[in-house]
Amino acid sequence: MTGPRYTPLAASLPATVPFVGPEAQERDTGRPFVARLGANESIFGPSAKAIAAMRDAAPDIWKYGDSKSHDLREALAAFHRVTRDNILVGEGIDGLLGYLVRLTVGAGDTVLTSDGAYPTFNYHVAGFGGVLHKLPYRDDAEDLDGLMEEAARLRPKLVYLSNPDNPMGSWHSGDRIAAALDRLPDGTLLVLDEAYVEFAPEGTEARYDVDDPRVIRMRTFSKAYGMAGARVGYAMGAKELISNFDKIRNHFGMNRMAQAGALAALADQDWLDEVRGKVAASREAITRIAADNGLTALPSAANFVAVDCGRDGRHARAVLGGLAARGIFVRMPFVPPQDRCIRISCGPEREMELLSRALPEVLSDLR
Amino acid sequence: MTGPRYTPLAASLPATVPFVGPEAQERDTGRPFVARLGANESIFGPSAKAIAAMRDAAPDIWKYGDSKSHDLREALAAFHRVTRDNILVGEGIDGLLGYLVRLTVGAGDTVLTSDGAYPTFNYHVAGFGGVLHKLPYRDDAEDLDGLMEEAARLRPKLVYLSNPDNPMGSWHSGDRIAAALDRLPDGTLLVLDEAYVEFAPEGTEARYDVDDPRVIRMRTFSKAYGMAGARVGYAMGAKELISNFDKIRNHFGMNRMAQAGALAALADQDWLDEVRGKVAASREAITRIAADNGLTALPSAANFVAVDCGRDGRHARAVLGGLAARGIFVRMPFVPPQDRCIRISCGPEREMELLSRALPEVLSDLR
């Protein structure tokens, strides 16, 4: 009696997971977190109109969601001044990245990213047998020029760039990114992950023709729109590329309440403005708390701040552990020298207050 | 300026989709359906407690769902008297089938199913380069003996069997299925799709050791639990197989409200009993309506009834078209001779009444 025969690729994959969620950590320690500042979720929450729309949609949950997410794509198309056929709605950027990698990356295919950038992208590339090349960060930012030089040399299937960057919060101007498209070799697709771009200064969003076949843009309702638990992301790109996702995607994969919530969230840009203001205030609060403790907060264009703990990764990990022991969930970069930092998500005053009380204790313990 | 380079497999895939959803059909015709009886959704809806749980979870949607769906898996484990490690929760059976095929099926690998069985399974097999072998139905049922004989000959990676069957509503006893496991060749995994088993007579659910490595069981909250739009399915199987999904699945792919709703739905087995009663009454209603119109309803162990329209696929398609023109959404089998039938989902009296009024008109028009 033998088990199934896995593909050689599946058999070769490690059992590691990209992230351990806060609930899993809580179960492991038996202690709930009092401040959830580790997953760049928006504690400020979604628009009240989005919550109302999801609640209103609950009794209709017996129906499958619209497999084409037509209304949401229509609204997104109007919002971004593109056509519906330039937009694909999917199960978060994580899900969309998985589909994109599946469409383009086979065994041995080259993919380029930055060392320390989004682990779930790397997870998908490995999961389809791709070979990842990683370029170090430069000055705590993804090295746009370096990536373009490496791309010209390696001619990868994909180049991943997040702007603003996670986990460091650094950013490039949209103009620089649009200009970089001309440096991509033929057949290399830029995966522009703009999960956090709603928090970034004017001019960070790259402007280019949406039908440009050299780039695909990823956006989400998980961050600024405060709907991480809904799983709604979208990709924007050339019609032909977007239509090819239909060959492989889980057509009926979208939650119906999530579709309704995202539609309402998009319509409430006033709330988004309010969240932007709250996030800016929280970035300042984190920066102040860091300074009060002799630490340096890095500039951030996202809803989190990387705080330089002043020494190496081991020290930052100890700070993170001390915060966790006091019920404060934060994360940190994986790769040196960025791992000298911890990454703290923005949050309301209550969370900032808890952080400001815990951090001096943690640092004092470590002295 | 060229586009991305797709994998040879992705480039070779057709642009066809497994199903056109009812919303898409409504947009195409400009007319909304008045009775939605085509997707085997449960118009009876979910438990009121599930709706309440989803509504209560809505304000927490800013948090990612638990990547391990721990509480739901714990509850399912208790319900099925297995361990949590025997259970994987995922984005509907569709999503789980996709993951399973990805784990096991590579280019050229053989997979066995019945000709006319679940198209989305076939879509996934084709999507990963598998070679599908299809066995005809026998007496409007999936041919369990024939499948086992073919499996012994072909030694496929996977054999797909739905019990009860969709689209015909036929079923095998659980004992026959459990006995069939011993006929599987080494290394062939039986994919037992029990999406509709909650509607089936006692004894339809196959009983075997959950750690048996020769079979994986697929279940869902989309049908009897009335939560198709939530996208919650689960797989049960040997721990090693279940754990291997962690290598490739979208770990943070579950909607948080859906997790809460499924947990509440599972706890409300009284509602499930009530739905079973309503579905049984509706099966009788459909059978009666068919007979009143000189048509024959097939016995069904699911929440739909295949109605033999008495002639060929072209005629059945005309009946289906006539019903659609009168606002009644139904579907039909794709393959002869099963395509002599239309497949009508169960529903409340209102829907049955609309069906009973429309069907004679449609048949009269066709005479």
Side-chain angles (χ1 to χ4, degrees):
Chain A
M1 216 162 78
T2 62
R5 286 165 288 163
Y6 300 99
T7 67
L9 174 59
S12 76
L13 292 173
T16 54
V17 303
F19 289 109
V20 180
E23 283 85 358
Q25 295 185 36
E26 289 172 335
R27 285 188 297 269
D28 287 349
T29 63
R31 285 191 313 273
F33 288 118
V34 295
R36 187 163 159 137
L37 298 171
N40 300 341
E41 298 157 328
S42 183
I43 312 183
F44 307 108
S47 157
K49 290 172 186 164
I51 294 177
M54 291 187 289
R55 285 180 163 159
D56 288 350
D60 264 357
I61 203 70
W62 61 270
K63 300 179 190 173
Y64 287 99
D66 175 15
S67 62
K68 299 189 171 190
S69 295
H70 175 276
D71 296 350
L72 181 55
R73 282 167 55 232
E74 189 96 324
L76 286 167
F79 183 77
H80 290 291
R81 303 185 185 190
V82 300
T83 77
R84 209 171 56 227
D85 294 337
N86 294 117
I87 294 182
L88 173 72
V89 167
E91 305 92 333
I93 290 181
D94 284 2
L96 292 168
L97 288 174
Y99 293 138
L100 176 65
V101 171
R102 179 171 162 198
L103 279 175
T104 54
V105 177
D109 281 349
T110 300
V111 173
L112 179 61
T113 186
S114 300
D115 196 11
Y118 195 42
T120 304
F121 177 72
N122 302 356
Y123 169 79
H124 288 311
V125 171
F128 287 100
V131 177
L132 263 174
H133 291 253
K134 298 177 180 178
L135 204 69
Y137 278 53
R138 174 187 292 261
D139 300 331
D140 293 323
E142 295 184 39
D143 181 0
L144 182 56
D145 286 331
L147 286 168
M148 292 305 124
E149 282 159 28
E150 276 296 276
R153 199 172 67 79
L154 295 170
R155 228 187 136 232
K157 286 280 188 88
L158 304 173
V159 181
Y160 177 88
L161 181 83
S162 68
N163 193 49
D165 166 72
N166 174 24
M168 301 309 286
S170 51
W171 68 102
H172 296 291
S173 78
D175 287 349
R176 282 199 63 211
I177 289 170
L181 296 180
D182 287 332
R183 301 169 63 188
L184 286 168
D186 261 12
T188 290
L189 183 73
L190 179 67
V191 185
L192 178 58
D193 183 343
E194 291 185 333
Y196 298 96
V197 80
E198 290 90 353
F199 302 113
E202 190 74 34
T204 306
E205 194 177 355
R207 286 172 195 278
Y208 54 81
D209 180 357
V210 70
D211 278 306
D212 192 316
R214 301 169 299 182
V215 55
I216 187 166
R217 190 195 287 267
M218 299 286 178
R219 299 286 283 263
T220 184
F221 284 88
S222 297
K223 304 301 178 186
Y225 289 99
M227 292 174 58
R231 314 316 300 129
V232 188
Y234 58 104
M236 290 193 284
K239 294 181 194 73
E240 193 238 346
L241 171 55
I242 293 298
S243 72
N244 275 319
F245 283 80
D246 275 348
K247 294 178 169 183
I248 58 155
R249 71 184 179 95
N250 188 3
H251 286 266
F252 289 86
M254 291 301 296
N255 180 291
R256 194 175 178 95
M257 292 176 293
Q259 290 174 321
L263 194 60
L266 183 69
D268 190 358
Q269 292 292 315
D270 289 346
W271 174 248
L272 208 72
D273 285 340
E274 214 171 312
V275 169
R276 279 194 195 97
K278 289 169 192 283
V279 164
S282 175
R283 283 193 301 231
E284 283 173 30
I286 295 170
T287 303
R288 201 170 48 239
I289 292 164
D292 289 347
N293 287 277
L295 309 181
T296 309
L298 275 58
S300 169
N303 71 336
F304 57 84
V305 177
V307 172
D308 185 340
C309 293
R311 289 163 60 185
D312 60 1
R314 207 167 140 227
H315 178 63
R317 197 166 310 277
V319 175
L320 182 138
L323 288 171
R326 282 165 180 80
I328 297 181
F329 168 52
V330 302
R331 284 209 172 104
M332 62 180 287
F334 296 106
V335 174
Q338 282 71 48
D339 69 351
R340 72 190 189 281
C341 300
I342 58 173
R343 189 197 69 181
I344 305 173
S345 303
C346 293
E349 278 176 34
R350 178 189 160 274
E351 275 73 9
M352 296 298 102
E353 177 63 29
L354 289 167
L355 175 69
S356 75
R357 267 187 272 158
L359 189 56
E361 295 174 17
V362 170
L363 295 174
S364 159
D365 282 0
L366 290 174
R367 257 175 234 126
Chain B
M1 215 164 75
T2 62
R5 287 165 287 162
Y6 300 98
T7 67
L9 174 60
S12 75
L13 292 174
T16 54
V17 303
F19 289 108
V20 180
E23 283 86 356
Q25 295 185 38
E26 288 172 336
R27 284 188 297 269
D28 288 349
T29 63
R31 282 191 316 272
F33 288 118
V34 296
R36 187 162 160 136
L37 298 171
N40 300 343
E41 298 157 327
S42 183
I43 312 183
F44 306 109
S47 157
K49 290 171 186 165
I51 294 176
M54 291 187 290
R55 284 179 163 161
D56 288 350
D60 264 357
I61 203 69
W62 61 270
K63 299 178 189 173
Y64 285 100
D66 175 14
S67 62
K68 298 188 171 190
S69 295
H70 174 277
D71 296 350
L72 181 55
R73 280 166 57 232
E74 189 96 324
L76 286 166
F79 184 76
H80 290 292
R81 302 183 187 191
V82 299
T83 77
R84 208 170 58 225
D85 293 338
N86 294 117
I87 295 183
L88 174 72
V89 167
E91 305 92 333
I93 290 181
D94 285 1
L96 292 168
L97 288 174
Y99 292 139
L100 176 66
V101 171
R102 180 172 160 198
L103 279 175
T104 55
V105 178
D109 282 348
T110 300
V111 173
L112 179 61
T113 187
S114 300
D115 196 10
Y118 195 44
T120 304
F121 177 73
N122 302 355
Y123 169 79
H124 288 311
V125 171
F128 287 100
V131 177
L132 263 174
H133 291 252
K134 298 177 181 177
L135 205 68
Y137 278 53
R138 174 187 291 259
D139 300 331
D140 292 325
E142 295 185 39
D143 181 0
L144 182 56
D145 286 331
L147 286 168
M148 292 305 124
E149 283 160 28
E150 276 296 275
R153 200 172 66 79
L154 294 170
R155 227 185 140 233
K157 287 280 189 91
L158 304 174
V159 181
Y160 177 87
L161 181 83
S162 67
N163 192 49
D165 166 73
N166 174 24
M168 301 309 287
S170 51
W171 68 103
H172 297 290
S173 78
D175 287 349
R176 282 198 65 209
I177 288 170
L181 295 181
D182 287 333
R183 300 170 64 187
L184 286 168
D186 261 10
T188 290
L189 183 74
L190 179 67
V191 185
L192 178 58
D193 183 343
E194 292 186 332
Y196 298 97
V197 81
E198 291 89 353
F199 302 114
E202 191 72 34
T204 307
E205 194 176 354
R207 286 173 196 277
Y208 54 81
D209 180 357
V210 69
D211 277 306
D212 193 317
R214 301 169 300 184
V215 55
I216 187 166
R217 191 195 284 268
M218 298 286 180
R219 300 287 283 264
T220 184
F221 285 87
S222 297
K223 304 300 178 186
Y225 290 98
M227 293 175 56
R231 312 318 299 126
V232 187
Y234 59 104
M236 287 193 285
K239 294 181 194 74
E240 194 239 345
L241 171 56
I242 293 297
S243 72
N244 274 319
F245 284 79
D246 275 348
K247 294 177 169 183
I248 58 155
R249 72 186 180 92
N250 188 2
H251 286 266
F252 289 86
M254 291 301 297
N255 179 293
R256 193 175 180 95
M257 292 176 293
Q259 290 174 321
L263 194 60
L266 183 69
D268 191 359
Q269 291 293 316
D270 288 347
W271 174 248
L272 209 71
D273 285 341
E274 213 171 312
V275 169
R276 280 194 196 96
K278 290 169 191 282
V279 164
S282 176
R283 283 194 300 231
E284 283 172 29
I286 295 170
T287 303
R288 199 170 49 239
I289 293 165
D292 289 348
N293 288 278
L295 308 182
T296 308
L298 275 59
S300 168
N303 70 337
F304 56 84
V305 177
V307 172
D308 185 340
C309 293
R311 289 164 59 186
D312 61 359
R314 204 165 144 231
H315 177 63
R317 199 168 308 279
V319 175
L320 182 139
L323 287 172
R326 281 164 181 81
I328 295 179
F329 167 51
V330 301
R331 285 211 170 104
M332 61 180 288
F334 296 108
V335 174
Q338 283 70 47
D339 69 349
R340 72 191 188 280
C341 300
I342 59 173
R343 189 196 69 182
I344 304 173
S345 303
C346 294
E349 279 176 32
R350 177 188 160 276
E351 275 73 10
M352 295 298 101
E353 177 63 29
L354 289 166
L355 175 68
S356 74
R357 267 186 272 158
L359 188 57
E361 294 175 18
V362 170
L363 294 174
S364 158
D365 282 1
L366 290 175
R367 254 173 236 128

